Amino acid sequence: MATTGSRTRAATLAVAVAIGLTGCGASEVVEAERPAATGEGRTEYPLTLENCGQEVTIESAPARVVSLDQNSTEILLSLGLEDRVVGTASWTDPVLDSLAKANEDVPRLADDAPTYEVLLGADPDFVTASFGRHYNEGGVVERERLEETGIGSYLSPTDCDNGQSINGGGTRTAPLTTDALYQEIRELAEIFDVADRGARLVADLQERAAAATEGVDFEGRTVMFWFADTKTPYVAGGLGSASLLATTTGMENVFKSEADDWPAVGWESVVEADPDILVLGDLQRDRFPGDLLDDKVEFLAQDELTSTLDAVDQERFIALHGAEMNPSIRFVDGLEKIQTWWSANKDEL
């Protein structure tokens, strides 16, 4: 039976979808129907948006967009915009199966961040990013430089707090919510004149999230989210997207006092925290030691410190892709995997 806490969380999510819209799955390309030229839902240009401390004006729907992150790319593909995506970069995981066909002809500019020259070689008229480090000095390109060359840019609201990019050097002052992700979807849909598709995608994510959390309550069991690196592990702080997965399902993040989204910590502090459950990132890339799930599990079992953890001895592991722990449409996939694990293990917790 669901506890009061789990019923409240599920009800909160359910209210968000009470608008009665039904869309396709977050991992499916939204059908390309468009409203009539004079009908409701068409974008009126020029469109001006406030985007993480910058005013962005779009004169017409972009025709050639480069997405600098997997999260942004999968939103664009889910909105049925693959014919306009002329480049993508910075991937932690394979594309969602149901977006694979849409992604087939999208050029991969780089597995990580591309150079400015490679970006320009794709001849974009618009650039999107999930993480503001790409727009920093020393990153791919500063937004001001793009503007000077007539190229528009957009940064995900999930990486923004008080007009500053979190990943670009700012500090998160309040917990991330799904509202920021839904804002990103709606704004990108408006920019590309497919607002109806954005509405359907948001509605479906809300519906799936409500279903995935219905009755799920870990009743305060402690958890650590380990993204990458065996030397000084990057773990989830208390205000970012991974910690949102914890609070939504009734878990307590042992590093909730950390303000950074992914602070690097020492293994001594992990052992001292002694989490009940370990959420392990299964990253399909080769950037840090222990990106892969199997490498993480092997390290935990063999290291003289981590092997003493009860969660390691009992193998209380939940495996999530990196994109499912980042602020993306895959947060729902993460919730569904957590629900599956909880259903199979709740009696032993």
Side-chain angles (χ1 to χ4, degrees):
M1 180 180 292
T3 66
T4 301
S6 64
R7 286 197 299 269
T8 300
R9 283 189 296 274
T12 299
L13 285 164
V15 166
V17 298
I19 54 177
L21 293 173
T22 301
C24 68
S27 54
E28 300 175 5
V29 179
V30 177
E31 294 180 5
E33 292 95 342
R34 295 170 62 93
T38 58
E40 183 180 358
R42 295 303 301 266
T43 300
E44 294 186 7
Y45 299 100
L47 170 68
T48 299
L49 300 172
E50 191 285 322
N51 180 231
C52 203
Q54 296 196 26
E55 187 175 275
V56 177
T57 298
I58 298 95
E59 298 294 339
S60 60
R64 298 180 60 83
V65 57
V66 166
S67 167
L68 296 176
D69 290 293
Q70 177 175 359
N71 304 348
S72 175
T73 303
E74 291 190 332
I75 290 176
L76 295 173
L77 296 179
S78 295
L79 292 174
L81 298 169
E82 61 273 13
D83 59 332
R84 305 194 214 177
V85 183
V86 296
T88 179
S90 300
W91 286 70
T92 59
D93 308 290
V95 69
L96 284 164
D97 288 344
S98 54
L99 296 178
K101 183 173 178 58
N103 189 57
E104 281 181 355
D105 296 326
V106 175
R108 179 76 65 93
L109 303 184
D111 290 336
D112 295 316
T115 65
Y116 177 55
E117 291 73 21
V118 169
L119 171 66
L120 284 188
D123 191 26
D125 59 6
F126 199 75
V127 176
T128 68
S130 303
F131 301 113
R133 65 175 180 270
H134 298 304
Y135 294 140
N136 274 4
E137 183 178 355
V140 179
V141 60
E142 294 179 56
R143 298 183 73 176
E144 292 78 6
R145 189 173 184 183
L146 287 173
E147 185 177 5
E148 290 170 359
T149 56
I151 300 173
S153 65
Y154 181 86
L155 176 63
S156 171
T158 64
D159 190 47
C160 190
D161 191 300
N162 290 323
Q164 291 187 315
S165 163
I166 304 305
N167 199 260
T171 301
R172 204 178 290 281
T173 62
L176 180 69
T177 71
T178 53
D179 289 343
L181 173 64
Y182 298 149
Q183 177 186 346
E184 177 179 11
I185 293 169
R186 292 186 180 105
E187 288 183 341
L188 286 175
E190 186 178 17
I191 288 168
F192 287 89
D193 196 15
V194 290
D196 53 332
R197 304 183 203 176
R200 294 200 301 273
L201 178 56
V202 168
D204 184 72
L205 287 169
Q206 292 171 328
E207 186 175 7
R208 287 179 61 198
T213 54
E214 175 65 36
V216 176
D217 193 347
F218 282 80
E219 299 180 336
R221 297 295 192 275
T222 57
V223 62
M224 181 191 80
F225 293 81
W226 177 18
F227 194 81
D229 205 339
T230 56
K231 296 179 181 179
T232 51
Y234 289 93
V235 302
L239 302 178
S241 54
S243 202
L244 176 61
L245 297 177
T247 56
T248 304
T249 54
M251 292 188 279
E252 180 179 347
N253 180 2
V254 295
F255 290 106
K256 64 182 181 180
S257 63
E258 296 283 345
D260 291 344
D261 282 7
W262 294 104
V265 301
W267 285 115
E268 294 82 359
S269 62
V270 173
V271 172
E272 182 179 357
D274 192 20
D276 297 318
I277 299 163
L278 299 176
V279 176
L280 308 179
D282 188 12
L283 281 59
Q284 304 300 302
R285 66 178 191 185
D286 187 18
R287 184 177 177 187
F288 289 104
D291 274 348
L292 295 173
L293 173 65
D294 290 346
D295 293 341
K296 283 185 172 72
V297 172
E298 182 180 3
F299 173 86
L300 290 169
Q302 294 183 359
D303 181 77
E304 62 180 13
L305 283 174
T306 58
S307 60
T308 65
L309 290 168
D310 188 57
V312 174
D313 181 63
Q314 299 299 315
E315 297 184 346
R316 291 195 292 270
F317 305 144
I318 302 176
L320 298 183
H321 287 306
E324 292 163 355
M325 291 194 281
N326 277 328
S328 76
I329 59 173
R330 292 207 195 187
F331 89 94
V332 174
D333 299 78
L335 286 176
E336 290 169 346
K337 289 181 180 180
I338 291 171
Q339 179 192 51
T340 298
W341 191 93
W342 180 81
S343 297
N345 295 276
K346 60 184 178 180
D347 294 337
E348 298 176 9
L349 289 175

